[in-house]
Amino acid sequence: MSELVAIGNAGAAIRKANDEGRAGLVAYLPAGYPTIAGGVDAIKALVDGGADVIEIGLPYSDPVMDGVTIQRAAEIALAQGLRTRDVLSTVEQVASYSEVPVLVMTYWNPIERYGVDRFAADLAAAGGAGLITPDLIPEEGAEWIAAADKNELDKVFLVSPSSTDDRIALTTANCRGFVYATAVMGVTGARDQASDLAAPLVARTKAATGIPVGVGLGVSNGDQAAGVAAYADAVIVGSAFVKALDAGGAAGVRELTESLAEGVRREPRTFANR
């Protein structure tokens, strides 16, 4: 797979940010929270605040990799009757709002239940850029990889501090868009300090691929974003946005996005491995 093909939709947006001498900001919120319409407004606030790539979470009933903040939001969304078609509608509304790439982040089970080929086609039709699949490994993802390739969708797989170099090479070879490097071991959630495992993981991942590497899990403020932006191609933020939404609604989401966007711009740098 050529780097031009591998860069994908989200990768192009991140590289555009890198060309400006900064890391990209990848921002996550779940669909359907606090309501379907309220969720759309909150996600649009991510765009308005300066996010370069949007991740829309597909709430799931057994979110074993998520911390309590995202778990609670997913439970509320599902209790209010959110369905996969509502997530796709959210994608469509956000994608039509701006040119910022919109990906869905989801556990694999809901995609299997919906139908892999059907979901890929419907996501592409809604204007979605691709899928982030935290519990799907490339060896078990042949059906998704084929469907994504057919519909020109990004395929974002994860690497972690425990990944071997061989595992990183295999994972990155199957990614399009960017590689999601989980900065800490364990479930998602904002943390007081960023993991010291993140920078070495990024270095190992960038040694295996020329596509962007984003770091997620734990960033909650502009200072932390600036720290991660010193070595990563993109900074990924999730739980902190849910907390901002709880505390201040869409306005609170936009305020935090603007702070994080300032953070990734704070120390201009040159990006290697291009």
Side-chain angles (χ1 to χ4, degrees):
M1 180 168 53
S2 71
E3 184 175 341
L4 181 61
V5 173
I7 206 76
N9 301 290
I14 294 170
R15 283 304 186 216
K16 182 176 182 293
N18 296 164
D19 288 342
E20 298 171 0
R22 65 178 179 86
L25 176 60
V26 181
Y28 166 96
L29 276 173
Y33 182 76
T35 63
I36 293 175
V40 171
D41 290 342
I43 296 167
K44 287 180 178 178
L46 297 173
V47 175
D48 295 340
D52 298 292
V53 176
I54 300 298
E55 295 180 14
I56 296 179
L58 194 160
Y60 179 52
S61 58
D62 188 24
V64 293
M65 298 174 69
D66 290 316
V68 293
T69 299
I70 293 176
Q71 281 189 17
R72 175 180 169 275
E75 289 169 358
I76 290 172
L78 292 171
Q80 295 177 147
L82 182 81
R83 298 292 181 263
T84 300
R85 62 179 177 271
D86 300 313
V87 178
L88 290 167
S89 175
T90 297
V91 170
E92 185 171 21
Q93 292 177 71
V94 176
S96 65
Y97 182 68
S98 77
E99 296 183 355
V100 174
V102 180
L103 296 97
V104 170
M105 186 169 189
T106 179
Y107 293 92
W108 187 239
N109 185 266
I111 308 304
E112 280 196 316
R113 288 190 318 210
Y114 190 90
V116 177
D117 289 335
R118 177 188 171 204
F119 185 87
D122 288 355
L123 178 60
L131 206 61
I132 301 168
T133 50
D135 64 341
L136 182 70
I137 58 176
E139 301 97 310
E140 298 174 359
E143 189 175 6
W144 162 242
I145 290 169
D149 289 348
K150 179 180 178 181
N151 291 276
E152 299 183 345
L153 294 169
D154 288 355
K155 305 165 293 185
V156 180
F157 294 104
L158 276 66
V159 295
S160 74
S162 64
S163 298
T164 64
D165 290 344
D166 287 344
R167 163 58 54 184
I168 289 174
L170 173 65
T171 301
T172 58
N174 285 280
C175 285
R176 180 168 54 240
F178 65 95
V179 184
Y180 195 126
T182 58
V184 295
M185 303 296 284
V187 299
T188 62
R191 288 167 169 82
D192 293 334
Q193 293 183 324
S195 169
D196 58 5
L197 300 175
L201 174 60
V202 170
R204 290 200 295 135
T205 305
K206 289 180 74 65
T209 184
I211 66 174
V213 180
V215 169
L217 302 187
V219 172
S220 61
N221 57 56
D223 290 341
Q224 289 179 344
V228 174
Y231 57 83
D233 297 315
V235 180
I236 305 169
V237 183
S239 297
F241 283 123
V242 179
K243 292 181 177 179
L245 178 57
D246 289 341
V253 169
R254 177 166 180 166
E255 181 179 359
L256 176 59
T257 311
E258 290 172 345
S259 174
L260 293 165
E262 181 278 326
V264 300
R265 288 168 169 81
R266 193 173 299 170
E267 298 293 338
R269 55 177 274 240
T270 300
F271 287 75
N273 197 21
R274 297 296 305 279

